C-alpha cells in the first residue's frame, strides 16, 4: 500500500495513534517549530497543539483565497529558523486537495526536517510510495478508503528512524520478551528493533483480521486500477457539475486530487438532507457537500448522485 517493508509498520487503531507517535517521539526541544497547513483535520492538529506546554511552536500556514492548501507558501516556510517538522494530510478531508508528497518530502529531506503525513484520505484511492516521498512517519486509519472496520489502522516509520525514536506510550507487547508468554515476569525493557515498538497494548485482532481481508482485496484488484476507476468517475462528475455551473472546491488538475469531490452549495444542510432522502450517501463537511466514489461505484451511481445534487 505505501511501499514499506513489514519492519516499518506498526499496527494501530486509528490515525491519531500514528500522529501521536510522531508528535511524542520525534526529538523536539523548546523553541522548535512544527509547520502545517491550515484547515487540517483535527487528528493532525491537536497532538501538535498539545506540545505547547513543552515550548514547541506549532504554526499553521494559511490557505489560499479559494480555501485550498498553499503548497508554495508551505515550501517557502521550510527555510524559517528552527523548523523541525512539517505535518500534512496527503488529501484534504474537506476539499479533496492532494499534496505533491514527493516534491515536499524531498524539500524536507534536503533541510533535515521531519516529514509527517496523515494519509487516511488517500491510501486505497491512489498509489503511494512513502520511501520515494521521503516520508518519516505516516499515519492511516482503515475505515475510509481501505474499507476496513473502525478501530483499525497502521503507522509507517522510516526504517532508519525506528531505532532512533523511543516510545512515549509503552505497551507490554512492544518489547522483545513479549514473544515468550512463559517468561512474562522476566522484565526487560528492550524494545523490538522494528516498528512494533510503537504498538500499544493488545490490539483488536478480530478487527484487524477484517482489515487484512480488505487490504488483500484491494491489492488483488490493484491500487493503480482503483485509482484509474475512481479518477474516471471523479472526472465525469466534475465535468457534469462544472458544465451546470456548480461551484467546485476540489481542484481541476487530476494530480491534485484523489477520490473526493467537494461542492459548495447555497443551503448545504438542506441539500444534504435531500440527497440523503434520495438514497445518496454523502458527507456535509465545512459547509459543503462531499461525494467520494470508490471502486464499487458505477457510472450510473455517479450520474444519479450528480443529478440529485444539481436538482436539490
Amino acid at each position: 500500500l505505501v511501499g514499506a517493508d513489514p519492519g516499518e509498520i506498526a499496527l494501530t487503531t486509528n490515525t491519531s495513534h500514528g500522529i501521536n507517535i510522531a508528535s511524542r517521539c520525534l526529538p523536539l526541544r523548546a523553541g522548535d517549530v512544527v509547520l502545517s497547513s491550515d484547515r487540517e483535520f483535527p487528528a493532525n492538529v491537536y497532538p501538535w497543539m498539545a506540545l505547547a506546554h513543552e515550548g514547541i511552536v506549532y504554526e499553521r500556514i494559511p490557505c489560499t483565497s479559494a480555501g485550498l492548501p498553499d503548497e508554495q507558501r508551505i515550501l517557502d516556510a521550510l527555510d524559517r529558523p528552527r523548523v523541525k517538522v512539517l505535518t500534512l494530510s496527503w488529501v484534504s478531508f474537506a476539499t479533496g486537495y492532494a499534496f505533491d508528497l514527493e516534491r515536499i518530502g524531498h524539500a524536507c529531506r534536503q533541510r533535515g526536517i521531519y516529514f509527517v503525513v496523515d494519509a487516511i484520505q488517500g491510501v486505497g484511492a491512489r498509489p503511494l510510495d512513502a520511501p520515494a516521498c521521503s516520508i518519516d512517519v505516516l499515519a492511516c486509519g482503515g475505515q475510509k478508503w481501505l474499507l476496513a472496520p473502525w478501530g483499525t489502522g497502521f503507522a509507517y516509520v522510516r526504517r532508519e528512524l525506528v531505532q532512533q525514536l523511543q516510545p512515549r506510550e509503552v505497551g507490554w507487547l512492544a518489547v522483545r520478551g513479549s514473544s515468550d508468554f512463559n517468561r512474562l515476569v522476566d522484565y526487560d525493557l528492550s524494545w523490538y528493533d522494528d516498528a512494533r515498538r510503537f504498538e500499544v497494548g493488545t490490539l483488536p485482532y478480530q478487527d484487524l483480521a477484517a482489515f487484512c481481508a480488505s487490504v488483500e482485496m484491494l491489492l488483488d484488484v490493484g491500487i493503480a486500477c482503483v485509482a484509474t476507476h475512481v479518477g474516471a468517475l471523479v472526472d465525469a462528475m466534475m465535468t457534469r457539475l462544472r458544465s451546470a455551473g456548480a461551484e467546485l472546491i476540489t481542484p481541476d488538475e487530476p494530480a491534485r486530487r484523489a477520490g473526493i469531490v467537494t461542492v459548495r452549495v447555497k443551503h448545504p444542510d438542506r441539500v444534504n438532507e435531500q440527497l440523503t432522502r434520495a438514497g445518496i450517501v454523502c458527507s456535509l463537511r465545512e459547509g459543503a457537500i462531499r461525494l467520494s466514489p470508490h471502486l464499487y461505484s458505477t457510472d450510473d451511481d455517479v450520474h444519479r448522485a450528480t443529478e440529485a445534487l444539481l436538482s436539490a
Side-chain angles (χ1 to χ4, degrees):
L1 286 172
V2 298
D5 67 59
E8 296 174 304
I9 298 297
L11 296 175
T12 65
T13 53
N14 48 51
T15 306
S16 295
H17 184 175
I19 296 297
N20 272 275
I21 290 173
S23 68
R24 303 304 300 171
C25 299
L26 290 174
L28 300 176
R29 298 181 299 168
D32 287 344
V33 176
V34 176
L35 294 178
S36 186
S37 175
D38 197 15
R39 305 188 69 81
E40 282 275 325
F41 192 79
N44 195 28
V45 174
Y46 293 134
W48 304 103
M49 290 179 68
L51 298 179
H53 73 282
E54 298 180 21
I56 309 301
V57 179
Y58 171 59
E59 180 180 346
R60 299 190 302 277
I61 305 300
C63 291
T64 67
S65 58
L68 299 175
D70 194 331
E71 194 162 315
Q72 187 56 54
R73 192 170 180 178
I74 290 168
L75 286 167
D76 293 341
L78 297 180
D79 291 320
R80 297 179 186 175
R82 297 202 66 172
V83 174
K84 299 297 181 183
V85 178
L86 174 64
T87 181
L88 297 171
S89 293
W90 177 19
V91 179
S92 166
F93 80 103
T95 68
Y97 179 93
F99 278 102
D100 184 344
L101 295 184
E102 190 166 359
R103 177 191 183 204
I104 295 173
H106 181 66
C108 288
R109 186 64 54 84
Q110 282 185 318
R111 293 162 175 78
I113 295 171
Y114 294 109
F115 188 29
V116 179
V117 174
D118 172 350
I120 190 172
Q121 291 290 2
V123 173
R126 279 180 54 177
L128 175 62
D129 188 328
C133 293
S134 303
I135 295 172
D136 292 297
V137 181
L138 177 147
C140 185
Q143 78 274 14
K144 294 289 184 178
W145 295 90
L146 295 179
L147 309 177
W150 291 88
T152 61
F154 69 94
Y156 158 86
V157 182
R158 178 169 59 87
R159 174 166 290 285
E160 294 79 9
L161 193 60
V162 167
Q163 295 185 40
Q164 299 175 27
L165 304 183
Q166 293 296 310
R168 296 283 290 272
E169 288 186 288
V170 178
W172 70 277
L173 288 169
V175 299
R176 298 173 190 168
S178 64
S179 61
D180 185 354
F181 279 26
N182 291 311
R183 303 182 60 181
L184 293 179
V185 296
D186 293 346
Y187 307 117
D188 180 7
L189 189 60
S190 296
W191 308 110
Y192 275 118
D193 292 332
D194 57 29
R196 284 178 295 173
R197 62 172 56 195
F198 303 111
E199 296 179 354
V200 179
T202 305
L203 293 162
Y205 292 110
Q206 71 284 349
D207 296 323
L208 288 167
F211 176 55
C212 288
S214 294
V215 171
E216 184 177 19
M217 178 193 68
L218 287 165
L219 294 178
D220 283 345
V221 173
I223 300 300
C225 290
V226 173
T228 298
H229 178 71
V230 171
L233 295 177
V234 168
D235 284 341
M237 185 181 296
M238 293 187 68
T239 298
R240 176 71 179 93
L241 291 170
R242 193 184 304 110
S243 65
E247 185 180 355
L248 288 162
I249 300 175
T250 303
D252 286 334
E253 185 183 351
R256 283 291 178 271
R257 61 179 191 248
I260 292 174
V261 176
T262 305
V263 187
R264 186 174 284 116
V265 295
K266 287 184 178 180
H267 306 287
D269 291 310
R270 188 177 69 193
V271 171
N272 182 53
E273 291 176 3
Q274 289 178 293
L275 290 174
T276 300
R277 287 198 298 270
I280 306 298
V281 180
C282 63
S283 298
L284 178 61
R285 294 290 182 268
E286 304 302 308
I289 299 297
R290 188 181 75 186
L291 298 166
S292 305
H294 204 355
L295 81 165
Y296 46 74
S297 303
T298 66
D299 292 332
D300 288 342
D301 293 334
V302 166
H303 177 76
R304 192 163 70 88
T306 305
E307 293 304 308
L309 179 61
L310 292 173
S311 64

